[in-house]
């Protein structure tokens, strides 16, 4: 089974600016970028007017490494210090579940592990040490 760690930056409305900056400063290549306005509509989480252009998910490649970025969902708090998280990528939903469950022990679930429009098994958990992990299963992009 394949397992990969990816740094994930959570920005406060300036993810597009950061992508542009890293493209120039680090010769990064944009692999994927989607705004909140391009996501499927969710009646439980309506986007405030004027926030459609915020980045919901992006990936850039710097050399041989990938960096994921997003803006906070409009209205969510952003605090300096919590904008860097780690994304664990697997190709197997069962392995994702095992990792998610292990990291959840004495930790805090931020988003339950679930099928999403971009991953068959995705969730967010902060472990008992305060480190936030995105568990991402490949298969829908």
């Amino acid at each position: 089974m394949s397992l990969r760690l990816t740094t994930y930056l959570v920005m406060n409305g300036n993810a597009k600016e950061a992508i542009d900056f890293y493209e120039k400063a680090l010769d990064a290549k944009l692999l994927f970028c989607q705004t909140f306005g391009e996501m499927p509509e969710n009646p439980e989480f309506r986007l405030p007017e004027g926030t459609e252009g915020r980045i919901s998910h992006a990936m850039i490649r710097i050399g041989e490494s990938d960096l994921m970025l997003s803006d906070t969902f409009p209205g969510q708090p952003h605090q300096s210090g919590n904008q860097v998280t780690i994304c664990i990528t697997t190709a197997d939903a069962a392995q994702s579940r095992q990792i998610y469950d292990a990291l959840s022990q004495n930790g805090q679930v931020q988003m339950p592990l679930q099928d999403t429009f971009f991953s068959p098994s995705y969730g967010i958990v902060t472990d008992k040490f305060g480190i936030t992990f995105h568990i991402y299963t490949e298969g829908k992009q």
Side-chain angles (χ1 to χ4, degrees):
M1 284 190 224
S2 173
L3 184 65
R4 189 170 64 249
L5 298 180
T6 305
T7 303
Y8 197 114
L9 305 180
V10 179
M11 311 300 285
N12 192 22
N14 57 351
K16 177 67 175 120
E17 180 184 347
I19 291 166
D20 294 342
F21 174 76
Y22 295 136
E23 283 179 320
K24 291 178 182 103
L26 302 173
D27 195 30
K29 306 293 183 235
L30 182 63
L31 302 179
F32 178 83
C33 187
Q34 181 178 50
T35 65
F36 282 105
E38 295 169 327
M39 290 174 42
E41 224 175 291
N42 183 341
E44 294 179 33
F45 297 101
R46 297 237 182 253
L47 286 177
E49 184 119 2
T51 61
E52 301 85 6
R54 289 174 76 113
I55 304 299
S56 65
H57 181 68
M59 182 182 295
I60 59 176
R61 178 152 298 148
I62 303 167
E64 295 180 20
S65 300
D66 293 335
L67 176 67
M68 293 182 176
L69 302 94
S70 69
D71 286 311
T72 56
F73 187 84
Q76 283 187 327
H78 181 273
Q79 178 181 337
S80 268
N82 69 354
Q83 71 269 30
V84 178
T85 61
I86 298 170
C87 183
I88 299 176
T89 301
T90 76
D92 179 69
Q95 184 181 23
S96 291
R97 169 56 68 189
Q98 179 183 8
I99 292 167
Y100 182 87
D101 288 346
L103 290 172
S104 297
Q105 290 182 12
N106 298 315
Q108 183 177 10
V109 169
Q110 305 297 324
M111 178 180 172
L113 194 65
Q114 60 191 284
D115 183 26
T116 67
F117 69 93
F118 59 89
S119 171
S121 187
Y122 176 81
I124 305 171
V125 62
T126 301
D127 72 9
K128 66 182 181 179
F129 302 105
I131 307 301
T132 300
F133 291 88
H134 297 246
I135 311 303
Y136 172 76
T137 309
E138 296 176 321
K140 283 197 173 179
Q141 285 186 352

